[in-house]
Coordinates of all heavy atoms in Angstrom, one line a residue:
D173 N 24.6 6.1 15.9 CA 24.6 4.6 15.9 C 23.2 4.1 15.7 O 23.0 3.1 15.0 CB 25.2 4.1 17.2 CG 26.7 4.3 17.4 OD1 27.4 4.4 16.3 OD2 27.2 4.5 18.5
F198 N 4.8 -9.9 -11.7 CA 5.1 -10.8 -12.8 C 4.0 -11.9 -12.8 O 3.4 -12.3 -13.8 CB 6.4 -11.6 -12.6 CG 6.6 -12.7 -13.6 CD1 7.0 -12.5 -14.9 CD2 6.5 -14.0 -13.0 CE1 7.1 -13.6 -15.7 CE2 6.7 -15.1 -13.9 CZ 7.0 -14.9 -15.3
M223 N -13.5 -5.7 -17.3 CA -12.6 -5.8 -16.1 C -11.3 -5.2 -16.5 O -10.4 -5.0 -15.6 CB -12.4 -7.2 -15.8 CG -13.5 -7.9 -15.0 SD -13.1 -9.6 -14.5 CE -11.7 -9.3 -13.4
F274 N 7.3 12.0 -4.3 CA 7.6 10.6 -4.7 C 7.0 9.6 -3.7 O 7.1 8.4 -3.9 CB 9.1 10.4 -4.7 CG 9.8 11.2 -5.7 CD1 10.8 12.1 -5.3 CD2 9.4 11.2 -7.1 CE1 11.4 13.0 -6.2 CE2 10.0 12.1 -8.0 CZ 11.0 12.9 -7.6

Side-chain angles (χ1 to χ4, degrees):
D173 289 333
F198 170 78
M223 285 187 64
F274 302 119

